[in-house]
PDB file of all heavy atoms in Angstrom:
ATOM      1  N   ARG B  61     -12.312  22.671 -17.866  1.00 97.00           N
ATOM      2  CA  ARG B  61     -11.050  23.374 -17.954  1.00 97.00           C
ATOM      3  C   ARG B  61      -9.831  22.513 -17.855  1.00 97.00           C
ATOM      4  O   ARG B  61      -8.672  22.906 -17.919  1.00 97.00           O
ATOM      5  CB  ARG B  61     -11.026  24.529 -16.975  1.00 97.00           C
ATOM      6  CG  ARG B  61     -12.011  25.582 -17.124  1.00 97.00           C
ATOM      7  CD  ARG B  61     -11.988  26.637 -16.007  1.00 97.00           C
ATOM      8  NE  ARG B  61     -12.426  26.062 -14.708  1.00 97.00           N
ATOM      9  CZ  ARG B  61     -13.688  25.824 -14.404  1.00 97.00           C
ATOM     10  NH1 ARG B  61     -14.692  26.153 -15.239  1.00 97.00           N
ATOM     11  NH2 ARG B  61     -14.006  25.324 -13.258  1.00 97.00           N
ATOM     12  N   LEU B  62     -10.093  21.183 -17.690  1.00 98.00           N
ATOM     13  CA  LEU B  62      -8.971  20.271 -17.522  1.00 98.00           C
ATOM     14  C   LEU B  62      -8.787  19.390 -18.709  1.00 98.00           C
ATOM     15  O   LEU B  62      -9.679  18.931 -19.402  1.00 98.00           O
ATOM     16  CB  LEU B  62      -9.392  19.316 -16.299  1.00 98.00           C
ATOM     17  CG  LEU B  62      -9.639  19.996 -14.922  1.00 98.00           C
ATOM     18  CD1 LEU B  62     -10.045  18.930 -13.987  1.00 98.00           C
ATOM     19  CD2 LEU B  62      -8.343  20.709 -14.496  1.00 98.00           C
ATOM     20  N   LYS B  63      -7.602  19.106 -18.975  1.00 98.00           N
ATOM     21  CA  LYS B  63      -7.114  18.145 -20.109  1.00 98.00           C
ATOM     22  C   LYS B  63      -5.987  17.317 -19.648  1.00 98.00           C
ATOM     23  O   LYS B  63      -5.024  17.836 -19.160  1.00 98.00           O
ATOM     24  CB  LYS B  63      -6.742  18.963 -21.297  1.00 98.00           C
ATOM     25  CG  LYS B  63      -6.252  18.162 -22.461  1.00 98.00           C
ATOM     26  CD  LYS B  63      -5.904  19.035 -23.618  1.00 98.00           C
ATOM     27  CE  LYS B  63      -5.181  18.380 -24.740  1.00 98.00           C
ATOM     28  NZ  LYS B  63      -4.774  19.281 -25.858  1.00 98.00           N
ATOM     29  N   ALA B  64      -6.117  16.025 -19.688  1.00 98.00           N
ATOM     30  CA  ALA B  64      -5.083  15.164 -19.294  1.00 98.00           C
ATOM     31  C   ALA B  64      -4.500  14.482 -20.503  1.00 98.00           C
ATOM     32  O   ALA B  64      -5.133  14.005 -21.490  1.00 98.00           O
ATOM     33  CB  ALA B  64      -5.766  13.959 -18.309  1.00 98.00           C
ATOM     34  N   THR B  65      -3.158  14.279 -20.457  1.00 98.00           N
ATOM     35  CA  THR B  65      -2.450  13.655 -21.507  1.00 98.00           C
ATOM     36  C   THR B  65      -1.419  12.606 -20.987  1.00 98.00           C
ATOM     37  O   THR B  65      -1.196  12.668 -19.735  1.00 98.00           O
ATOM     38  CB  THR B  65      -1.648  14.713 -22.352  1.00 98.00           C
ATOM     39  OG1 THR B  65      -0.603  15.276 -21.427  1.00 98.00           O
ATOM     40  CG2 THR B  65      -2.496  15.735 -22.903  1.00 98.00           C
ATOM     41  N   LEU B  66      -1.072  11.698 -21.754  1.00 96.00           N
ATOM     42  CA  LEU B  66      -0.240  10.558 -21.284  1.00 96.00           C
ATOM     43  C   LEU B  66       0.875  10.280 -22.331  1.00 96.00           C
ATOM     44  O   LEU B  66       0.677  10.183 -23.531  1.00 96.00           O
ATOM     45  CB  LEU B  66      -1.093   9.248 -21.114  1.00 96.00           C
ATOM     46  CG  LEU B  66      -0.405   8.058 -20.628  1.00 96.00           C
ATOM     47  CD1 LEU B  66       0.125   8.252 -19.193  1.00 96.00           C
ATOM     48  CD2 LEU B  66      -1.282   6.840 -20.645  1.00 96.00           C
ATOM     49  N   THR B  67       2.125  10.165 -21.726  1.00 93.00           N
ATOM     50  CA  THR B  67       3.213   9.608 -22.597  1.00 93.00           C
ATOM     51  C   THR B  67       3.663   8.321 -21.924  1.00 93.00           C
ATOM     52  O   THR B  67       3.017   7.857 -20.967  1.00 93.00           O
ATOM     53  CB  THR B  67       4.435  10.554 -22.596  1.00 93.00           C
ATOM     54  OG1 THR B  67       5.012  10.579 -21.217  1.00 93.00           O
ATOM     55  CG2 THR B  67       3.952  12.028 -22.943  1.00 93.00           C
ATOM     56  N   LYS B  68       4.772   7.753 -22.412  1.00 88.00           N
ATOM     57  CA  LYS B  68       5.194   6.454 -21.908  1.00 88.00           C
ATOM     58  C   LYS B  68       5.650   6.523 -20.415  1.00 88.00           C
ATOM     59  O   LYS B  68       5.690   5.519 -19.735  1.00 88.00           O
ATOM     60  CB  LYS B  68       6.293   5.760 -22.782  1.00 88.00           C
ATOM     61  CG  LYS B  68       5.680   5.232 -24.038  1.00 88.00           C
ATOM     62  CD  LYS B  68       6.796   4.580 -24.891  1.00 88.00           C
ATOM     63  CE  LYS B  68       6.233   3.937 -26.112  1.00 88.00           C
ATOM     64  NZ  LYS B  68       7.162   3.238 -26.973  1.00 88.00           N
ATOM     65  N   LYS B  69       6.124   7.728 -20.029  1.00 91.00           N
ATOM     66  CA  LYS B  69       6.689   7.808 -18.612  1.00 91.00           C
ATOM     67  C   LYS B  69       5.983   8.837 -17.708  1.00 91.00           C
ATOM     68  O   LYS B  69       6.344   8.896 -16.619  1.00 91.00           O
ATOM     69  CB  LYS B  69       8.093   8.165 -18.780  1.00 91.00           C
ATOM     70  CG  LYS B  69       8.938   7.043 -19.298  1.00 91.00           C
ATOM     71  CD  LYS B  69       9.038   5.801 -18.323  1.00 91.00           C
ATOM     72  CE  LYS B  69       9.775   4.654 -18.913  1.00 91.00           C
ATOM     73  NZ  LYS B  69       9.658   3.471 -18.126  1.00 91.00           N
ATOM     74  N   GLU B  70       5.024   9.651 -18.373  1.00 95.00           N
ATOM     75  CA  GLU B  70       4.471  10.670 -17.481  1.00 95.00           C
ATOM     76  C   GLU B  70       3.111  11.100 -18.136  1.00 95.00           C
ATOM     77  O   GLU B  70       2.707  10.789 -19.289  1.00 95.00           O
ATOM     78  CB  GLU B  70       5.420  11.859 -17.399  1.00 95.00           C
ATOM     79  CG  GLU B  70       5.781  12.590 -18.698  1.00 95.00           C
ATOM     80  CD  GLU B  70       6.785  13.637 -18.525  1.00 95.00           C
ATOM     81  OE1 GLU B  70       7.158  13.983 -17.346  1.00 95.00           O
ATOM     82  OE2 GLU B  70       7.357  14.116 -19.559  1.00 95.00           O
ATOM     83  N   SER B  71       2.420  11.836 -17.188  1.00 97.00           N
ATOM     84  CA  SER B  71       1.136  12.374 -17.568  1.00 97.00           C
ATOM     85  C   SER B  71       1.097  13.789 -17.116  1.00 97.00           C
ATOM     86  O   SER B  71       1.695  14.199 -16.166  1.00 97.00           O
ATOM     87  CB  SER B  71      -0.124  11.576 -16.917  1.00 97.00           C
ATOM     88  OG  SER B  71      -1.297  12.167 -17.231  1.00 97.00           O
ATOM     89  N   PHE B  72       0.335  14.591 -17.908  1.00 98.00           N
ATOM     90  CA  PHE B  72       0.170  16.006 -17.550  1.00 98.00           C
ATOM     91  C   PHE B  72      -1.312  16.281 -17.387  1.00 98.00           C
ATOM     92  O   PHE B  72      -2.101  15.740 -18.170  1.00 98.00           O
ATOM     93  CB  PHE B  72       0.752  16.918 -18.600  1.00 98.00           C
ATOM     94  CG  PHE B  72       2.181  16.894 -18.709  1.00 98.00           C
ATOM     95  CD1 PHE B  72       2.864  15.985 -19.570  1.00 98.00           C
ATOM     96  CD2 PHE B  72       3.024  17.671 -17.971  1.00 98.00           C
ATOM     97  CE1 PHE B  72       4.255  15.994 -19.659  1.00 98.00           C
ATOM     98  CE2 PHE B  72       4.468  17.626 -17.990  1.00 98.00           C
ATOM     99  CZ  PHE B  72       5.020  16.815 -18.877  1.00 98.00           C
ATOM    100  N   LEU B  73      -1.626  17.100 -16.392  1.00 98.00           N
ATOM    101  CA  LEU B  73      -2.981  17.647 -16.269  1.00 98.00           C
ATOM    102  C   LEU B  73      -2.943  19.174 -16.502  1.00 98.00           C
ATOM    103  O   LEU B  73      -2.358  19.937 -15.720  1.00 98.00           O
ATOM    104  CB  LEU B  73      -3.516  17.348 -14.848  1.00 98.00           C
ATOM    105  CG  LEU B  73      -4.982  17.761 -14.604  1.00 98.00           C
ATOM    106  CD1 LEU B  73      -5.927  16.916 -15.488  1.00 98.00           C
ATOM    107  CD2 LEU B  73      -5.412  17.594 -13.070  1.00 98.00           C
ATOM    108  N   HIS B  74      -3.439  19.521 -17.630  1.00 98.00           N
ATOM    109  CA  HIS B  74      -3.345  20.932 -18.061  1.00 98.00           C
ATOM    110  C   HIS B  74      -4.613  21.620 -17.549  1.00 98.00           C
ATOM    111  O   HIS B  74      -5.729  21.026 -17.754  1.00 98.00           O
ATOM    112  CB  HIS B  74      -3.318  21.044 -19.576  1.00 98.00           C
ATOM    113  CG  HIS B  74      -2.151  20.314 -20.210  1.00 98.00           C
ATOM    114  ND1 HIS B  74      -0.908  20.704 -20.194  1.00 98.00           N
ATOM    115  CD2 HIS B  74      -2.165  19.004 -20.767  1.00 98.00           C
ATOM    116  CE1 HIS B  74      -0.103  19.842 -20.796  1.00 98.00           C
ATOM    117  NE2 HIS B  74      -0.847  18.760 -21.103  1.00 98.00           N
ATOM    118  N   ILE B  75      -4.470  22.780 -16.936  1.00 98.00           N
ATOM    119  CA  ILE B  75      -5.622  23.506 -16.380  1.00 98.00           C
ATOM    120  C   ILE B  75      -5.661  24.916 -17.144  1.00 98.00           C
ATOM    121  O   ILE B  75      -4.747  25.682 -17.032  1.00 98.00           O
ATOM    122  CB  ILE B  75      -5.497  23.752 -14.891  1.00 98.00           C
ATOM    123  CG1 ILE B  75      -5.428  22.409 -14.145  1.00 98.00           C
ATOM    124  CG2 ILE B  75      -6.717  24.453 -14.390  1.00 98.00           C
ATOM    125  CD1 ILE B  75      -5.242  22.459 -12.773  1.00 98.00           C
ATOM    126  N   THR B  76      -6.734  25.050 -17.985  1.00 98.00           N
ATOM    127  CA  THR B  76      -6.799  26.247 -18.755  1.00 98.00           C
ATOM    128  C   THR B  76      -7.750  27.242 -18.073  1.00 98.00           C
ATOM    129  O   THR B  76      -8.871  26.869 -17.746  1.00 98.00           O
ATOM    130  CB  THR B  76      -7.352  25.817 -20.162  1.00 98.00           C
ATOM    131  OG1 THR B  76      -6.461  24.907 -20.750  1.00 98.00           O
ATOM    132  CG2 THR B  76      -7.471  27.091 -21.048  1.00 98.00           C
ATOM    133  N   ALA B  77      -7.285  28.504 -17.918  1.00 98.00           N
ATOM    134  CA  ALA B  77      -8.058  29.596 -17.355  1.00 98.00           C
ATOM    135  C   ALA B  77      -8.774  29.140 -16.073  1.00 98.00           C
ATOM    136  O   ALA B  77      -9.980  29.092 -16.052  1.00 98.00           O
ATOM    137  CB  ALA B  77      -9.013  30.148 -18.373  1.00 98.00           C
ATOM    138  N   PRO B  78      -7.917  28.632 -15.082  1.00 98.00           N
ATOM    139  CA  PRO B  78      -8.573  28.132 -13.865  1.00 98.00           C
ATOM    140  C   PRO B  78      -9.435  29.225 -13.127  1.00 98.00           C
ATOM    141  O   PRO B  78      -9.159  30.377 -13.210  1.00 98.00           O
ATOM    142  CB  PRO B  78      -7.350  27.696 -13.064  1.00 98.00           C
ATOM    143  CG  PRO B  78      -6.261  28.513 -13.534  1.00 98.00           C
ATOM    144  CD  PRO B  78      -6.485  28.750 -14.955  1.00 98.00           C
ATOM    145  N   LYS B  79     -10.399  28.685 -12.355  1.00 98.00           N
ATOM    146  CA  LYS B  79     -11.222  29.497 -11.469  1.00 98.00           C
ATOM    147  C   LYS B  79     -10.911  29.032 -10.039  1.00 98.00           C
ATOM    148  O   LYS B  79     -10.445  27.908  -9.785  1.00 98.00           O
ATOM    149  CB  LYS B  79     -12.674  29.265 -11.828  1.00 98.00           C
ATOM    150  CG  LYS B  79     -13.042  29.688 -13.248  1.00 98.00           C
ATOM    151  CD  LYS B  79     -14.542  29.448 -13.523  1.00 98.00           C
ATOM    152  CE  LYS B  79     -14.843  29.976 -14.914  1.00 98.00           C
ATOM    153  NZ  LYS B  79     -16.346  29.846 -15.185  1.00 98.00           N
ATOM    154  N   PRO B  80     -11.360  29.921  -9.117  1.00 98.00           N
ATOM    155  CA  PRO B  80     -11.133  29.519  -7.691  1.00 98.00           C
ATOM    156  C   PRO B  80     -11.751  28.222  -7.311  1.00 98.00           C
ATOM    157  O   PRO B  80     -11.185  27.456  -6.440  1.00 98.00           O
ATOM    158  CB  PRO B  80     -11.763  30.693  -6.909  1.00 98.00           C
ATOM    159  CG  PRO B  80     -11.681  31.850  -7.859  1.00 98.00           C
ATOM    160  CD  PRO B  80     -11.881  31.200  -9.198  1.00 98.00           C
ATOM    161  N   GLU B  81     -12.806  27.752  -7.884  1.00 97.00           N
ATOM    162  CA  GLU B  81     -13.374  26.502  -7.543  1.00 97.00           C
ATOM    163  C   GLU B  81     -12.625  25.316  -8.083  1.00 97.00           C
ATOM    164  O   GLU B  81     -12.921  24.138  -7.735  1.00 97.00           O
ATOM    165  CB  GLU B  81     -14.811  26.389  -8.186  1.00 97.00           C
ATOM    166  CG  GLU B  81     -14.961  26.670  -9.604  1.00 97.00           C
ATOM    167  CD  GLU B  81     -15.527  28.098  -9.835  1.00 97.00           C
ATOM    168  OE1 GLU B  81     -14.977  29.043  -9.206  1.00 97.00           O
ATOM    169  OE2 GLU B  81     -16.333  28.369 -10.708  1.00 97.00           O
ATOM    170  N   ASP B  82     -11.541  25.502  -8.818  1.00 98.00           N
ATOM    171  CA  ASP B  82     -10.670  24.421  -9.264  1.00 98.00           C
ATOM    172  C   ASP B  82      -9.631  24.166  -8.162  1.00 98.00           C
ATOM    173  O   ASP B  82      -8.829  23.188  -8.267  1.00 98.00           O
ATOM    174  CB  ASP B  82      -9.890  24.777 -10.560  1.00 98.00           C
ATOM    175  CG  ASP B  82     -10.873  24.855 -11.712  1.00 98.00           C
ATOM    176  OD1 ASP B  82     -11.839  24.116 -11.789  1.00 98.00           O
ATOM    177  OD2 ASP B  82     -10.669  25.718 -12.533  1.00 98.00           O
ATOM    178  N   SER B  83      -9.562  24.977  -7.082  1.00 98.00           N
ATOM    179  CA  SER B  83      -8.651  24.738  -6.020  1.00 98.00           C
ATOM    180  C   SER B  83      -8.984  23.475  -5.297  1.00 98.00           C
ATOM    181  O   SER B  83     -10.081  23.146  -4.924  1.00 98.00           O
ATOM    182  CB  SER B  83      -8.785  25.879  -5.007  1.00 98.00           C
ATOM    183  OG  SER B  83      -8.519  27.102  -5.533  1.00 98.00           O
ATOM    184  N   ALA B  84      -7.918  22.570  -5.260  1.00 98.00           N
ATOM    185  CA  ALA B  84      -8.064  21.243  -4.688  1.00 98.00           C
ATOM    186  C   ALA B  84      -6.707  20.546  -4.709  1.00 98.00           C
ATOM    187  O   ALA B  84      -5.750  21.158  -5.198  1.00 98.00           O
ATOM    188  CB  ALA B  84      -9.168  20.391  -5.488  1.00 98.00           C
ATOM    189  N   THR B  85      -6.695  19.285  -4.211  1.00 97.00           N
ATOM    190  CA  THR B  85      -5.455  18.511  -4.391  1.00 97.00           C
ATOM    191  C   THR B  85      -5.808  17.539  -5.507  1.00 97.00           C
ATOM    192  O   THR B  85      -6.808  16.897  -5.608  1.00 97.00           O
ATOM    193  CB  THR B  85      -5.091  17.659  -3.219  1.00 97.00           C
ATOM    194  OG1 THR B  85      -4.753  18.622  -2.091  1.00 97.00           O
ATOM    195  CG2 THR B  85      -3.939  16.798  -3.423  1.00 97.00           C
ATOM    196  N   TYR B  86      -4.760  17.502  -6.532  1.00 98.00           N
ATOM    197  CA  TYR B  86      -5.053  16.648  -7.653  1.00 98.00           C
ATOM    198  C   TYR B  86      -4.068  15.452  -7.511  1.00 98.00           C
ATOM    199  O   TYR B  86      -2.851  15.629  -7.396  1.00 98.00           O
ATOM    200  CB  TYR B  86      -4.765  17.348  -8.918  1.00 98.00           C
ATOM    201  CG  TYR B  86      -5.935  18.415  -9.262  1.00 98.00           C
ATOM    202  CD1 TYR B  86      -5.825  19.705  -8.754  1.00 98.00           C
ATOM    203  CD2 TYR B  86      -7.007  18.079 -10.029  1.00 98.00           C
ATOM    204  CE1 TYR B  86      -6.848  20.583  -8.884  1.00 98.00           C
ATOM    205  CE2 TYR B  86      -8.073  18.923 -10.211  1.00 98.00           C
ATOM    206  CZ  TYR B  86      -7.947  20.239  -9.626  1.00 98.00           C
ATOM    207  OH  TYR B  86      -9.008  21.054  -9.829  1.00 98.00           O
ATOM    208  N   LEU B  87      -4.681  14.267  -7.567  1.00 97.00           N
ATOM    209  CA  LEU B  87      -3.959  13.072  -7.296  1.00 97.00           C
ATOM    210  C   LEU B  87      -3.798  12.213  -8.610  1.00 97.00           C
ATOM    211  O   LEU B  87      -4.816  12.119  -9.380  1.00 97.00           O
ATOM    212  CB  LEU B  87      -4.691  12.099  -6.347  1.00 97.00           C
ATOM    213  CG  LEU B  87      -4.874  12.706  -4.865  1.00 97.00           C
ATOM    214  CD1 LEU B  87      -5.774  11.843  -4.020  1.00 97.00           C
ATOM    215  CD2 LEU B  87      -3.559  12.814  -4.105  1.00 97.00           C
ATOM    216  N   CYS B  88      -2.687  11.700  -8.887  1.00 96.00           N
ATOM    217  CA  CYS B  88      -2.413  10.834  -9.940  1.00 96.00           C
ATOM    218  C   CYS B  88      -2.260   9.406  -9.341  1.00 96.00           C
ATOM    219  O   CYS B  88      -1.705   9.259  -8.285  1.00 96.00           O
ATOM    220  CB  CYS B  88      -1.158  11.313 -10.621  1.00 96.00           C
ATOM    221  SG  CYS B  88      -0.457  10.127 -11.846  1.00 96.00           S
ATOM    222  N   ALA B  89      -2.730   8.382 -10.058  1.00 94.00           N
ATOM    223  CA  ALA B  89      -2.616   6.985  -9.682  1.00 94.00           C
ATOM    224  C   ALA B  89      -2.301   6.143 -10.921  1.00 94.00           C
ATOM    225  O   ALA B  89      -2.913   6.442 -11.970  1.00 94.00           O
ATOM    226  CB  ALA B  89      -3.866   6.522  -8.906  1.00 94.00           C
ATOM    227  N   VAL B  90      -1.539   5.131 -10.697  1.00 91.00           N
ATOM    228  CA  VAL B  90      -1.254   4.244 -11.853  1.00 91.00           C
ATOM    229  C   VAL B  90      -1.602   2.856 -11.370  1.00 91.00           C
ATOM    230  O   VAL B  90      -1.546   2.537 -10.226  1.00 91.00           O
ATOM    231  CB  VAL B  90       0.347   4.273 -12.262  1.00 91.00           C
ATOM    232  CG1 VAL B  90       0.652   5.640 -12.809  1.00 91.00           C
ATOM    233  CG2 VAL B  90       1.174   3.910 -11.130  1.00 91.00           C
TER     234      VAL B  90
END
Side-chain angles (χ1 to χ4, degrees):
Chain B
R61 294 176 292 282
L62 300 177
K63 178 178 167 182
T65 62
L66 181 65
T67 70
K68 286 186 178 179
K69 290 296 179 189
E70 60 188 349
S71 176
F72 291 93
L73 184 65
H74 307 278
I75 304 178
T76 302
K79 298 183 177 181
E81 53 262 43
D82 295 322
S83 298
T85 295
Y86 290 86
L87 299 170
C88 165
V90 297

